[in-house]
Amino acid sequence: DAGVIQSPRHEVTEMGQEVTLRCKPISGHNSLFWYRQTMMRGLELLIYFNNNVPIDDSGMPEDRFSAKMPNASFSTLKIQPSEPRDSAVYFCASSFEGDQPQHFGDGTRLSIL
Amino acid sequence: GENVEQHPSTLSVQEGDSAVIKCTYSDSASNYFPWYKQELGKRPQLIIDIRSNVGEKKDQRIAVTLNKTAKHFSLHITETQPEDSAVYFCPPRYSTLTFGKGTMLLVSP
């Protein structure tokens, strides 16, 4: 099993640009989570999907952030326009159900200049 | 939603000592209690978990104990080693809340 796959691993871009982060969950898992990690705020849940449907997006910071899950094997997190305060490590995780162990990807380290 | 408090925020021990991290939760319906470990620069990984029908679970040097009456569960690490140095999380149920900042454990040789 390849685990949760995230791309890109690193992204450096200028403020105002659109950023798209991608995630492929573990095959057979029906829950997918997007997290953001910073020193100040720790590891925050941004949005949670179950069976490709967004269940809880209360952690999404503002309208500049959007997430989609068009099918069971792919999800994107988009930031448009990006700002320096969006700089963080973004993790994607998946699980068989919501109350099962979550498997994390290696994260995307995002730097907005 | 679920409220979880984790203590302490940082813990420094000498190699060979034991370490205990405690989480207190509020939702009586909670039935799944996981612990994750995140080493510096790496992804969080599940190290041990427990269901509400079990009071204790052990895996080599780590153990988790659950007190449903008091609504807390604890991670116990015995004979700590430098490679145990990491941030440990006890996340609440998946919805609405976060892993937070966790507990930073530092094991000095």
Side-chain angles (χ1 to χ4, degrees), chain A residues 37-83:
Chain A
Q37 188 170 37
T38 61
M39 289 291 292
M40 288 295 293
R41 301 174 69 90
L43 188 59
E44 304 173 274
L45 177 67
L46 299 178
I47 188 169
Y48 154 58
F49 291 88
N50 186 255
N51 292 322
N52 312 339
V53 176
I55 302 300
D56 184 351
D57 65 354
S58 58
M60 295 287 265
E62 50 198 89
D63 292 344
R64 297 185 298 106
F65 285 67
S66 63
K68 294 182 179 179
M69 192 164 186
N71 56 62
S73 59
F74 183 65
S75 176
T76 60
L77 177 67
K78 187 173 294 187
I79 308 172
Q80 168 62 22
S82 58
E83 297 182 3

Side-chain angles (χ1 to χ4, degrees), chain A residues 33 35 37 39-45 48 56 58 91 98-102 104-106, chain B residues 31-32 36 38 41-46 49 51 89 93-101:
Chain A
F33 310 81
Y35 294 91
Q37 188 170 37
M39 289 291 292
M40 288 295 293
R41 301 174 69 90
L43 188 59
E44 304 173 274
L45 177 67
Y48 154 58
D56 184 351
S58 58
F91 286 102
D99 278 354
Q100 294 289 328
Q102 294 185 29
F104 284 76
D106 287 328
Chain B
N31 59 6
Y32 176 61
Y36 289 79
Q38 186 180 24
K42 297 189 177 180
R43 57 190 167 95
Q45 290 187 281
L46 181 79
D49 57 7
R51 299 278 172 183
F89 298 96
R93 291 165 64 96
Y94 52 85
S95 65
T96 72
L97 291 179
T98 81
F99 278 49
K101 296 183 179 181

Side-chain angles (χ1 to χ4, degrees), chain A residues 80-95:
Chain A
Q80 168 62 22
S82 58
E83 297 182 3
R85 59 191 171 122
D86 302 330
S87 298
V89 179
Y90 291 81
F91 286 102
C92 175
S94 71
S95 69

